[in-house]
Amino acid sequence: MREVMIGNFAIARGLTEAGLELAAAYPGTPSSEILPGIVEFKKREKLSIHTEWSTNERCAFEVAFGGASAGRKAACMMKQVGLNVAFPPLLHGHAKTLKGALVIVSCDDPGPQSSQTEQDTRLLAAFFGITVFDPASPKEAGDMAYYALKYSYEHKVPVILRSTHRVSHARESIELFAPGSRKVELDEGLKHKGKGKLGIVSSGMTYAITMDILGELDLGNEISLYKVSRIFPLAPEVIKFINRQEKTLVLEETDVALESLLDHGEKVLGRRSGHVPGAGELTYDVVRNIVSNVAKEQGIKVPAFKADTSIEDALKEVKIVPRPPKLCAGCSHRASFYAMRSAFSDTIFPGDIGCYTLGISMGAVDTCLDMGSGVTFASGFYDAFAQDGKLKPILASVGDSTFFHACLSPLYDAVLRKRRFVLVIMDNSTTAMTGLQPTPQSGITADGIPSYSIKIENIIEGFGIEFLRVVDPYNVPLMLETIQEAYKYLEKESAGPAVIIARRECLLFSKIKEKDTRDM
């Protein structure tokens, strides 16, 4: 039986077929669909797998690590910057001997497409000596997920599966097997044998692109190509391959992971030699130009690319007006930001990570560093101006999911030190930007079972915050009035942070619930 699915579902399928027993994740593009995929296959085949959306990536890692330490086959999923949140336990736990198995799926974002920065999980893994696999397609992502869980269980160590957004979100026909009924071996090694003037070492999606380009330029007999699937530890055959070539070009995303491990001085070409761009996604056009230029340098004749030049010329004439991402039409955050921007003439707006980051285009977000930084930046700004005896309007914003993820400790710290700023918690009852996953106050588990709901206002009251208001942001006059009331409260010497919960359900979430109701 075969089924067309995205790479993230293929990863989910590979893990479930390998006997996965526990899965924990925090949503973040491009990794968000893996846990729903596990839930899908769990329900479809009535498998006994614990699945959860954890409060943050560190919680996800430690839940999975605990399960693996108790003898279970476990996995945790996150995006590349989410791995930074899970870094402390990863650093201390990667060398521990497990009773079960642990696969950390970290999805990188070359470009970046939907992240603050590029980050190469493979480089971090190699630096700390963690086994890491790098799939080149959705099918291979599923195969490697299966292989990685088996490998971890056999060797009793945590391993990393690194995907990228082009692998995670591409679609491919995947063959389905019963759990535990198949065997998978790594697809690694020599793919083209050239004449020795130039070899290419590549991995992941860059390998798939390189393979296509060598075929289209008819260079398969001129340029040798070696595919690496396990970045660390490297197979000794890779070194032997390099030694047989006059020059070797390394093509990889997004950093110098392979290039560093294959350090052969001037014999290896790549980012360090200036042949490969230092940042950005290695798209088809970029890789084609790199391969063509390096081949010509080595005296290899490169045929003209057989493309419809009239189409290429026509595309050059198309003038595209840049359109930055915006909040959805009717989004309640629009009303919140409008009120915030209108409240005072000279305001600092510390922002955070989520849908509400798009408040930048409305002039109501000044800073955006990482999850939770809206509160800590507000604290820093307050301390800076307080030294000069000034009470400057500071309106910080954060979403409900991010509040639980990273804001509890910073907010408690702000309360403890009587920092006077206004925090607007934009509560739309879901983790909207990454796919409408539940938050701790949603009262529902990853597999749709009703659960305990933790209310934001209960936490705020538990912190001893005196000024707390819950407002419907669609009522713009009331929202504006409440912000001004909060600032009036901050004029008291004894005041601490003032909190406004702007509560209005996400429109997309509302539409899904309406559809579900009609379908019943």
Side-chain angles (χ1 to χ4, degrees):
M1 180 179 175
R2 304 186 73 87
E3 189 173 315
V4 175
M5 62 182 72
I6 63 171
N8 280 343
F9 261 58
I11 291 171
R13 185 67 197 179
L15 290 171
T16 55
E17 289 181 0
L20 183 71
E21 297 169 289
L22 184 151
Y26 184 81
T29 306
S31 72
S32 303
E33 299 85 1
I34 302 173
L35 189 69
I38 292 170
V39 171
E40 165 72 20
F41 298 125
K42 165 189 172 180
K43 290 181 176 179
R44 189 189 298 183
E45 300 183 23
K46 297 180 174 57
L47 302 174
S48 178
I49 305 174
H50 170 79
T51 51
E52 70 169 63
W53 287 117
S54 302
T55 307
N56 59 34
E57 293 87 354
R58 178 169 182 165
C59 291
F61 179 93
E62 292 179 347
V63 165
F65 192 90
S69 299
R72 299 297 182 185
K73 292 179 179 177
C76 59
M77 288 71 67
M78 60 202 70
K79 68 183 298 178
Q80 91 281 14
V81 288
L83 190 61
N84 299 335
V85 180
F87 183 71
L90 174 66
L91 177 61
H92 295 292
H94 76 270
K96 301 292 184 182
T97 300
L98 303 173
K99 288 186 178 180
L102 175 60
V103 174
I104 303 113
V105 183
S106 177
C107 296
D108 287 359
D109 189 12
Q113 304 291 326
S114 58
S115 307
Q116 308 98 300
T117 58
E118 291 184 321
Q119 181 174 308
D120 196 328
T121 297
R122 305 169 312 145
L123 196 62
L124 182 149
F127 186 81
F128 287 101
I130 305 170
T131 299
V132 56
F133 302 99
D134 192 14
S137 68
K139 178 186 180 302
E140 195 165 78
D143 290 345
M144 283 191 185
Y146 184 96
Y147 183 90
L149 196 61
K150 295 287 189 181
Y151 182 99
S152 176
Y153 192 75
E154 179 182 344
H155 293 85
K156 303 302 178 186
V157 294
V159 301
I160 293 177
L161 175 68
R162 192 289 290 255
S163 181
T164 61
H165 60 81
R166 299 296 180 191
V167 172
S168 288
H169 292 157
R171 294 182 182 273
E172 192 171 357
S173 177
I174 305 297
E175 188 171 1
L176 308 184
F177 297 87
S181 67
R182 63 167 169 147
K183 293 184 178 180
V184 172
E185 295 183 1
L186 286 184
D187 178 20
E188 178 164 328
L190 185 66
K191 300 302 176 183
H192 285 306
K193 187 175 181 181
K195 297 178 180 178
K197 282 188 176 183
L198 177 64
I200 297 177
V201 173
S202 190
S203 70
M205 179 53 72
T206 311
Y207 161 78
I209 293 172
T210 303
M211 189 76 164
D212 287 345
I213 288 169
L214 291 180
E216 290 170 3
L217 296 179
D218 197 23
L219 292 175
N221 293 325
E222 295 288 337
I223 299 176
S224 302
L225 175 62
Y226 191 99
K227 176 187 180 185
V228 179
S229 294
R230 188 181 66 188
I231 306 301
F232 187 89
L234 273 178
E237 287 75 18
V238 189
I239 305 300
K240 294 177 183 177
F241 172 82
I242 291 177
N243 290 334
R244 292 196 297 267
Q245 315 302 320
E246 292 181 18
K247 296 283 186 179
T248 299
L249 172 65
V250 179
L251 293 172
E252 58 180 331
E253 288 177 329
T254 58
D255 214 322
V256 290
L258 276 173
E259 195 173 335
S260 297
L261 294 169
L262 300 173
D263 189 8
H264 276 55
E266 294 182 357
K267 192 170 185 177
V268 172
L269 311 177
R271 283 183 168 82
R272 290 172 171 175
S273 66
H275 289 85
V276 178
E281 184 181 4
L282 295 185
T283 61
Y284 175 88
D285 289 341
V286 172
V287 175
R288 190 183 77 188
N289 289 335
I290 294 170
V291 171
S292 297
N293 293 337
V294 173
K296 290 173 184 176
E297 286 181 12
Q298 295 306 114
I300 298 172
K301 186 177 180 180
V302 179
F305 181 69
K306 300 174 183 178
D308 190 334
T309 54
S310 62
I311 294 177
E312 289 190 343
D313 291 340
L315 288 174
K316 290 177 183 177
E317 297 299 320
V318 176
K319 294 182 180 179
I320 300 175
V321 178
R323 296 183 185 276
K326 296 181 180 180
L327 291 164
C328 297
C331 175
S332 61
H333 298 345
R334 286 178 178 263
S336 296
F337 283 131
Y338 177 80
M340 290 167 63
R341 191 185 62 195
S342 304
F344 307 103
S345 59
D346 185 23
T347 310
I348 297 176
F349 299 106
D352 223 297
I353 302 295
C355 286
Y356 38 88
T357 307
L358 302 178
I360 291 173
S361 62
M362 295 184 65
V365 171
D366 292 328
T367 68
C368 174
L369 184 65
D370 57 13
M371 296 184 77
S373 65
V375 174
T376 42
F377 271 39
S379 294
F381 287 135
Y382 170 76
D383 289 342
F385 288 106
Q387 286 179 328
D388 298 329
K390 297 178 182 178
L391 181 61
K392 191 176 181 70
I394 301 171
L395 293 179
S397 56
V398 70
D400 48 330
S401 181
T402 303
F403 174 79
F404 286 106
H405 178 286
C407 287
L408 301 187
S409 296
L411 184 57
Y412 173 74
D413 192 57
V415 173
L416 198 64
R417 288 162 177 77
K418 297 289 184 180
R419 287 165 172 150
R420 289 182 277 169
F421 59 85
V422 179
L423 174 63
V424 179
I425 301 175
M426 298 183 178
D427 181 8
N428 60 6
S429 305
T430 187
T431 314
M433 181 162 270
T434 55
L436 304 175
Q437 295 84 8
T439 73
Q441 73 168 357
S442 298
I444 190 169
T445 65
D447 43 6
I449 299 172
S451 179
Y452 178 70
S453 171
I454 302 175
K455 297 300 181 186
I456 294 175
E457 48 266 48
N458 292 347
I459 295 173
I460 301 300
E461 290 169 353
F463 279 179
I465 292 174
E466 296 176 356
F467 189 98
L468 170 63
R469 303 288 187 273
V470 181
V471 181
D472 182 348
Y474 273 11
N475 189 339
V476 175
L478 178 59
M479 185 71 182
L480 180 58
E481 179 185 319
T482 305
I483 292 171
Q484 292 169 337
E485 181 190 355
Y487 187 70
K488 193 72 176 173
Y489 160 78
L490 295 180
E491 292 177 351
K492 294 166 49 179
E493 285 290 335
S494 61
V499 176
I500 300 170
I501 301 176
R503 179 167 288 156
R504 165 66 69 156
E505 191 173 61
C506 172
L507 282 174
L508 299 178
F509 192 47
S510 299
K511 290 179 180 179
I512 289 175
K513 290 203 302 186
E514 287 174 10
K515 181 179 181 299
D516 290 344
T517 302
R518 289 195 303 269
D519 292 343
M520 289 177 64

